[in-house]
Amino acid sequence: MRYYVLDRGDQLSLELAESFHKLAADQGLILDAESPDIVVSIGGDGTMLHAFHSFMDRIASTAFVGVHTGHLGFYADWKADEIPELVQMMAGDREDSLLKPRIVQYPLVDLEIVKHSGVVKHVCLNEFTLKSVDGTVVLQVDINDHMFEMFRGDGICVSTPSGSTAYNKSLGGAMIHPSIEAFQISEIASINNRVFRTMGSSLVMPNHHHCDIYSRKEQNLLLTVDHINLRVPDLISVRCKVAEQKISFVRYRPFPFWTRVRNAFLD
């Protein structure tokens, strides 16, 4: 079993990473920064996003597992004091079939960003947002190559099902179970009056649909892909759709999505 650890960089996460390495060496696990079977994220959900983008080119053959060092995260199954148990399970010491790992896969959102300077592609785990740096943003939203609305406001958020509990939720979007292959479009402070109108509610798109967002005035835009911020002064359009790739998480024990939701927002 080859593994790699990516930590948040704070003192606790660094200490936990060091402890993980020592326990892993004792269990015969191999540290491999180039081609790990499992990437262990120690920190919070932001650390997992960083881990995902760091190994984006290997998501077909690499799985992820999270250890949280603060509040319970949506991408973290394990607490700091459970690292010895996690290492044992990764080493395969337990024979009980109920404890054998299960791989779950979550959908991602694929982005094709067309600029005057060229075309770039990104994949996001949580969400993609498009906002104006200077003021009100003006964006045309097309669904399946047909114009849907002309948006004016602060911006637009496009989220994955697993990211629906993050920024999307604060915008009034629905929480979607991550087994559903879809993406969600949510408005950020839209302008609605006698002159300008938008749908005013989130839209959930199935995996065979796509959405194109066009810049409809000269505007300095900020495009955010998960935790990555990109200034785009020359945007033409962004095409959003469910990605062909999926992210894989290792589940060594049951932790249902709705239990995560309840723990995060109700308990």
Side-chain angles (χ1 to χ4, degrees):
M1 169 72 71
R2 302 185 308 275
Y3 80 96
Y4 183 71
V5 173
L6 196 150
D7 63 77
R8 185 163 55 187
D10 61 289
Q11 186 63 35
L12 175 58
S13 298
L14 289 169
E15 291 173 357
L16 292 174
E18 183 178 355
S19 174
F20 189 100
H21 290 309
K22 290 179 180 179
L23 292 168
D26 292 340
Q27 293 289 345
L29 299 180
I30 301 170
L31 178 62
D32 187 339
E34 299 298 325
S35 56
D37 300 306
I38 296 178
V39 173
V40 181
S41 165
I42 299 180
D45 284 345
T47 313
M48 180 62 77
L49 292 175
H50 182 47
F52 164 70
H53 284 277
S54 297
F55 288 90
M56 176 62 219
D57 59 341
R58 287 193 50 82
I59 59 170
S61 56
T62 298
F64 297 81
V65 64
V67 178
H68 67 87
T69 57
H71 299 293
L72 180 63
F74 274 91
Y75 294 124
D77 294 357
W78 297 85
K79 299 177 183 178
D81 60 358
E82 295 175 325
I83 282 182
E85 182 181 358
L86 172 59
V87 172
Q88 274 195 328
M89 289 190 171
M90 287 177 60
D93 287 346
R94 304 282 179 104
E95 296 298 329
D96 189 337
S97 62
L98 294 177
L99 296 176
K100 289 183 179 179
R102 182 170 66 95
I103 301 295
V104 299
Q105 293 188 312
Y106 289 173
L108 306 165
V109 166
D110 182 74
L111 305 173
E112 184 180 78
I113 303 164
V114 181
K115 305 180 291 181
H116 289 288
S117 56
V119 178
V120 294
K121 294 186 177 182
H122 289 277
V123 177
C124 57
L125 173 56
N126 257 15
E127 74 272 312
F128 144 75
T129 64
L130 189 59
K131 301 178 181 180
S132 173
V133 175
D134 304 318
T136 300
V137 69
V138 180
L139 304 168
Q140 178 181 322
V141 179
D142 288 11
I143 296 176
N144 298 335
D145 303 318
H146 294 280
M147 181 178 175
F148 183 76
E149 68 178 12
M150 188 67 71
F151 175 88
R152 290 172 174 81
D154 283 358
I156 287 179
C157 172
V158 176
S159 63
T160 67
S162 52
S164 66
T165 57
Y167 190 21
N168 169 77
K169 180 181 181 297
S170 69
L171 298 172
M175 286 186 282
I176 301 175
H177 194 281
S179 65
I180 299 173
E181 295 187 8
F183 66 95
Q184 186 169 182
I185 307 168
S186 297
E187 299 176 354
I188 306 173
S190 60
I191 297 174
N192 280 285
N193 52 36
R194 293 175 60 189
V195 179
F196 305 124
R197 299 295 298 166
T198 67
M199 180 56 64
S201 64
S202 295
L203 306 174
V204 179
M205 301 286 112
N207 64 354
H208 60 286
H209 286 196
H210 64 268
C211 166
D212 292 298
I213 304 172
Y214 295 90
S215 176
R216 282 300 182 236
K217 73 172 186 178
E218 186 175 340
Q219 49 193 339
N220 189 13
L221 297 171
L222 177 66
L223 191 154
T224 301
V225 181
D226 292 330
H227 62 300
I228 303 168
N229 295 317
L230 306 169
R231 288 285 189 102
V232 186
D234 61 341
L235 181 71
I236 297 175
S237 66
V238 181
R239 171 161 290 197
C240 314
K241 62 181 181 180
V242 176
E244 293 182 3
Q245 316 102 302
K246 291 185 177 181
I247 185 173
S248 297
F249 290 100
V250 186
R251 296 279 186 260
Y252 290 100
R253 56 188 181 186
F255 201 164
F257 174 74
W258 298 117
T259 300
R260 297 170 188 264
V261 171
R262 185 190 66 222
N263 290 348
F265 299 111
L266 298 176
D267 286 353

